[in-house]
Amino acid sequence: MIKILDFSGLVLYCLFIYWLSDQPSLPTPMWFAHQDKIYHAGAYFIMGLLAWRSFKHLTDSPIILALISITFCCLFGISDEWHQSFVEGRSSDIADWIADSSGAGLAILLMSSKKLIYGLNAEIHNPTIE
């Protein structure tokens, strides 16, 4: 059941990103130049967390999990920018994709670090007897 909820959360979030990308413009106040890159990084940070949760059901290897998660987020970011190139009032920008990938990468790096640190601590405090 948790697997289904995790994958459903990721799919729904991807649909939400798609819907946002399909809007001709988004009503956000501009306080400084390139502020949209922070929005991109934040949105894909969340996607990175959701991807990690979803794909952790596929592998026990933290490295494989991180690679699958970042690959998914980066490819979705590329497809999102391509999609925006067809939306009137929107444009496609490689800097947006870099922000997307950076946000997802940061989330996945944090989750990988957490898993490695807590996994190592659990192994130190609860050693297996052979």
Side-chain angles (χ1 to χ4, degrees):
M1 183 65 173
I2 295 295
K3 289 181 191 181
I4 293 170
L5 290 175
D6 286 342
F7 280 108
S8 297
L10 179 60
V11 168
L12 289 173
Y13 192 75
C14 289
L15 289 171
F16 175 66
I17 296 283
Y18 181 88
W19 178 79
L20 288 174
S21 296
D22 208 37
Q23 305 307 305
S25 67
L26 296 174
T28 54
M30 287 300 287
W31 296 313
F32 55 89
H34 308 294
Q35 153 184 327
D36 66 311
K37 305 309 179 251
I38 293 174
Y39 295 145
H40 279 264
Y44 278 76
F45 182 92
I46 295 168
M47 183 183 286
L49 296 176
L50 292 170
W52 178 273
R53 281 192 57 96
S54 295
F55 299 130
K56 74 179 179 179
H57 302 290
L58 302 178
T59 182
D60 291 329
S61 168
I63 293 171
I64 300 296
L65 176 56
L67 289 173
I68 291 170
S69 299
I70 193 67
T71 300
F72 174 83
C73 292
C74 289
L75 289 175
F76 190 88
I78 289 170
S79 70
D80 182 46
E81 289 304 313
W82 183 67
H83 167 239
Q84 284 182 28
S85 71
F86 297 104
V87 177
E88 188 174 328
R90 297 298 289 267
S91 63
S92 181
D93 184 6
I94 192 152
D96 288 347
W97 176 72
I98 291 169
D100 297 341
S101 299
S102 298
L106 179 60
I108 292 162
L109 178 65
L110 291 174
M111 294 303 288
S112 296
S113 299
K114 178 184 160 210
K115 185 170 178 90
L116 290 173
I117 290 168
Y118 286 123
L120 181 59
N121 284 339
E123 194 172 300
I124 290 170
H125 295 299
N126 299 316
T128 56
I129 300 172
E130 295 182 18

